[in-house]
Amino acid sequence: MNLLKGVTSAFSFAVALLIASTPLKSLGSTNDFDVLCYHDVTKTHPGDAYGVTLTQLEEQFEYLQKNYSVVSIDDVILASKGKKTLPPKAVLITFDDGLASFYDLAYPLLKRYKFPAVFAVVGKWVEDGKAPDYGYVNVNPPMVSWAQLKEMSDSGLVAVVSHTYDMHHGHIFNPQGNEQASAGFLKFNLDSKSYESEKDFFARVKADLAENERLISKHIGKNYPLIVWPYGTYNGLSQKAATELGMPMQFSVERGMNNTSHLTLVNRTMVLSHFSISTFTEGIKTSFAYEAPIRGISVDLDSLWVGSEDASNITLGKLNDKAADIRPNLALIQAFSAQGEAYFPTSQLTVKANFFGRVAHVLQNRSRVDKVYATVPLQYLKNELNTQLLIHDLALYNDVDGIFFDSRGAGVDAKKMEKLVEQAMKAGSEIRPFWNYGFIGPRFSIGTSPFKYVIEDFSWNSSKSKLVKTVHEFQDPKMIVSLDSKTVSGVPENYKKLKDLGLDNFFLPISFNSYADLPFLKANFHSANNPYSIGADEQR
């Protein structure tokens, strides 16, 4: 019997009542603050997607002056020590990279509005007078001088801080030659086919940070307890190096509200060239948060890896074309083969191929999938030491957004698994402090609170009252419903039924590599555009 046939308008009304009665969370508390991140400022057209025009900046400053309280980094630090309280709707303004346009165009505007700001400089670029390759066509924009930095610092409006000495670039981080941020990933040497050691990475990062702090102290006479990481990318080792040098505050480029009670990771919104004044004014109301309905897919590495790098890159290219066309916003990549071998370097299992990181990089940077996670079946977490080392290696060598623990088909001890999942999250966050975690399958006694997302099957075999309760549970934004995978034709039918119940976060459990109903995917799995991200102007 199909219970959905018995669902009437009264049932839909009951569901609506349950949703409407859910209380809203408080949107503000004492010492909350937003952080805006700017880069280049131009008189006419922005040099790239990260720049703004002087007109845009002036419009945004005008709005901030009338509606918000712009605070200094000193205000934030004092509030974190309990020595003052930030005003409501506090905003901290930051500019990155050390471009001369800040002195020529932004600084006069700051003086006019009496706005304080943080200016993060790359020491080597200041020393050289220009960036080696800023991404502009046929031009490397000039940098400020130390004398100009000293003048702005002495004004009391500008806090000059570190953006590293010479780590505002990428380097090769996997055997396939892909690049990632220097401060966030170990170097991979293509000649020796070996990774930089953790010890050498830590020493390299610490020496770089120390040099920039020395230069700022020499030329400016004042250092701040923070580091603005290039690209917002770092790891637990670079975080430790900065902390040991007196910079415990780590500035990222993740959007979101901050509070002075937690400054080890500070969110910042990059203000982009396509932001109209309405985009800016609407976005800042919610700290530029944007949660599109989840359209998640599963990527099967066993069907992608076909025995050699060259042949596997062909299958990966097909996956990229498909993902770029469909545009899901969440991908779960199989980190282990069906035989229990790893697809990443680790001492804990036989390594089938170092291919996981390559696939994740392609999905993030070419297919433009918003969030990419590793799937870790629970049966591979053997004991505390094994779990710690296995997840440490997964985090160290790969660029993903976190882990989904998978209990499907795992004959495991519930109490043991709860402890090992907790151990795994601890090990992952020691290397990637910004990682999030998800769970797919039966959760035993594990609740939903540790996880950003939870994927579960929807139970239709319930009474009408239990069905209402189930629907309400899936209204939680972290809950993602797994579509029926018994038959390919069953997926669209299952999707329609669940949409009719008001659900909107979906996961395709059938391998995305082989799922052939492209019209269904194009119509229903093309994720909504984030108006605050790079390329949003092109997508609208």
Side-chain angles (χ1 to χ4, degrees):
M1 175 183 176
N2 187 343
L3 280 176
L4 188 67
K5 292 180 181 178
V7 176
T8 63
S9 59
F11 168 74
S12 300
F13 181 67
V15 173
L17 280 178
L18 273 170
I19 298 167
S21 65
T22 303
L24 293 174
K25 294 181 180 178
S26 171
L27 296 178
S29 62
T30 302
N31 285 335
D32 281 349
F33 67 102
D34 279 302
V35 185
L36 301 176
C37 170
Y38 293 93
H39 289 82
D40 196 12
V41 183
T42 57
K43 290 183 177 179
T44 53
H45 299 292
D48 63 9
Y50 301 94
V52 296
T53 65
L54 186 59
T55 299
Q56 284 177 296
L57 189 63
E58 188 169 7
E59 286 178 336
Q60 292 164 10
F61 277 14
E62 186 71 19
Y63 180 78
L64 291 175
Q65 186 180 61
K66 293 176 180 177
N67 298 279
Y68 287 80
S69 297
V70 176
V71 298
S72 69
I73 187 62
D74 292 296
D75 293 329
V76 170
I77 293 170
L78 287 172
S80 72
K81 297 176 180 178
K83 295 182 178 180
K84 73 178 304 180
T85 300
L86 295 184
K89 301 173 74 173
V91 174
L92 178 68
I93 296 172
T94 69
F95 284 80
D96 285 5
D97 297 346
L99 295 164
S101 63
F102 177 81
Y103 180 81
D104 295 335
L105 300 175
Y107 179 50
L109 209 57
L110 291 171
K111 288 192 290 185
R112 188 205 306 174
Y113 284 91
K114 297 182 174 60
F115 282 175
V118 172
F119 193 32
V121 299
V122 181
K124 191 174 189 304
W125 291 3
V126 176
E127 298 276 273
D128 293 345
K130 63 181 181 180
D133 180 11
Y134 201 69
Y136 291 174
V137 178
N138 300 322
V139 63
N140 291 326
M143 299 291 123
V144 292
S145 66
W146 287 115
Q148 290 169 333
L149 287 169
K150 176 63 172 170
E151 174 194 334
M152 291 187 289
S153 174
D154 287 347
S155 74
L157 287 179
V158 179
V160 179
V161 305
S162 179
H163 203 29
T164 75
Y165 174 71
D166 188 20
M167 290 194 291
H168 200 299
H169 58 80
H171 61 219
I172 292 172
F173 85 113
N174 65 20
Q176 293 81 16
N178 297 125
E179 291 194 354
Q180 250 301 350
S182 177
F185 294 87
L186 308 184
K187 290 180 182 178
F188 185 84
N189 189 309
L190 292 175
D191 294 328
S192 65
K193 293 181 170 49
S194 62
Y195 286 93
E196 179 181 30
S197 70
E198 291 179 61
K199 181 180 178 181
D200 288 345
F201 172 89
F202 181 81
R204 171 173 63 81
V205 171
K206 191 171 184 180
D208 178 286
L209 297 179
E211 175 62 9
N212 216 35
E213 286 296 275
R214 184 190 70 80
L215 287 171
I216 292 172
S217 179
K218 173 185 174 183
H219 293 286
I220 309 301
K222 182 177 183 179
N223 298 94
Y224 283 86
L226 66 93
I227 174 67
V228 177
W229 292 110
Y231 320 108
T233 304
Y234 64 101
N235 62 32
L237 296 171
S238 44
Q239 181 183 44
K240 183 174 183 287
T243 301
E244 288 186 3
L245 291 169
M247 295 180 283
M249 297 168 61
Q250 322 273 314
F251 279 51
S252 74
V253 287
E254 292 294 318
R255 293 181 294 273
M257 179 67 76
N258 301 284
N259 189 276
T260 57
S261 63
H262 182 72
L263 295 179
T264 53
L265 174 58
V266 178
N267 298 314
R268 298 190 300 159
T269 294
M270 287 195 292
V271 182
L272 304 173
S273 63
H274 74 267
F275 280 22
S276 65
I277 189 60
S278 61
T279 301
F280 180 85
T281 58
E282 285 302 307
I284 199 169
K285 292 175 183 177
T286 59
S287 302
F288 297 90
Y290 182 77
E291 293 292 338
I294 299 298
R295 296 294 183 267
I297 61 169
S298 175
V299 176
D300 173 24
L301 255 63
D302 283 340
S303 64
L304 283 181
W305 179 256
V306 289
S308 72
E309 195 79 37
D310 290 342
S312 299
N313 276 328
I314 293 174
T315 61
L316 177 57
K318 293 178 180 178
L319 173 72
N320 170 63
D321 292 342
K322 187 176 182 180
D325 187 29
I326 302 301
R327 289 292 304 280
N329 54 11
L330 173 69
L332 274 56
I333 308 176
Q334 170 192 3
F336 305 90
S337 73
Q339 291 72 41
E341 305 152 306
Y343 278 110
F344 59 91
T346 180
S347 61
Q348 299 304 295
L349 291 171
T350 300
V351 177
K352 184 169 186 177
N354 189 355
F355 200 58
F356 173 87
R358 166 70 167 163
V359 175
H361 187 83
V362 167
L363 286 174
Q364 288 173 318
N365 295 280
R366 291 177 56 192
S367 310
R368 295 170 71 181
V369 176
D370 187 42
K371 297 295 180 185
V372 174
Y373 285 73
T375 303
V376 176
L378 292 184
Q379 58 263 39
Y380 299 127
L381 306 182
K382 303 298 185 183
N383 53 57
E384 286 194 19
L385 180 60
N386 157 267
T387 295
Q388 179 183 355
L389 295 174
L390 186 69
I391 302 304
H392 173 93
D393 292 341
L394 179 60
L396 186 66
Y397 296 109
N398 299 289
D399 176 22
V400 290
D401 296 288
I403 291 172
F404 260 78
F405 299 101
D406 188 353
S407 68
R408 294 172 298 177
V412 296
D413 178 86
K415 287 187 177 180
K416 178 183 176 183
M417 277 304 105
E418 188 171 354
K419 291 181 180 178
L420 291 180
V421 167
E422 183 180 344
Q423 181 70 30
M425 290 192 290
K426 180 181 177 184
S429 295
E430 284 176 353
I431 295 295
R432 304 291 170 197
F434 46 83
W435 262 15
N436 288 305
Y437 300 90
F439 204 97
I440 181 169
R443 284 180 285 110
F444 313 111
S445 58
I446 304 174
T448 62
S449 58
F451 306 113
K452 183 174 179 64
Y453 300 117
V454 173
I455 298 175
E456 288 185 356
D457 292 329
F458 187 90
S459 175
W460 294 98
N461 299 318
S462 307
S463 66
K464 189 180 295 185
S465 61
K466 287 184 178 179
L467 199 58
V468 172
K469 184 175 182 293
T470 301
V471 170
H472 183 58
E473 289 172 351
F474 272 98
Q475 294 290 344
D476 185 332
K478 73 167 56 179
M479 297 300 294
I480 304 171
V481 62
S482 181
L483 297 172
D484 182 7
S485 61
K486 294 182 179 64
T487 63
V488 171
S489 61
V491 170
E493 180 184 356
N494 193 221
Y495 175 87
K496 184 179 185 307
K497 290 178 181 178
L498 293 163
K499 282 286 285 185
D500 287 344
L501 292 180
L503 303 184
D504 208 16
N505 286 342
F506 297 106
F507 174 70
L508 180 70
I510 299 173
S511 171
F512 182 73
N513 318 31
S514 58
Y515 188 79
D517 190 347
L518 294 184
F520 165 75
L521 290 178
K522 285 184 178 181
N524 302 293
F525 262 65
H526 188 94
S527 60
N529 299 325
N530 185 338
Y532 311 124
S533 67
I534 293 290
D537 55 330
E538 300 169 3
Q539 298 165 18
R540 281 198 295 271

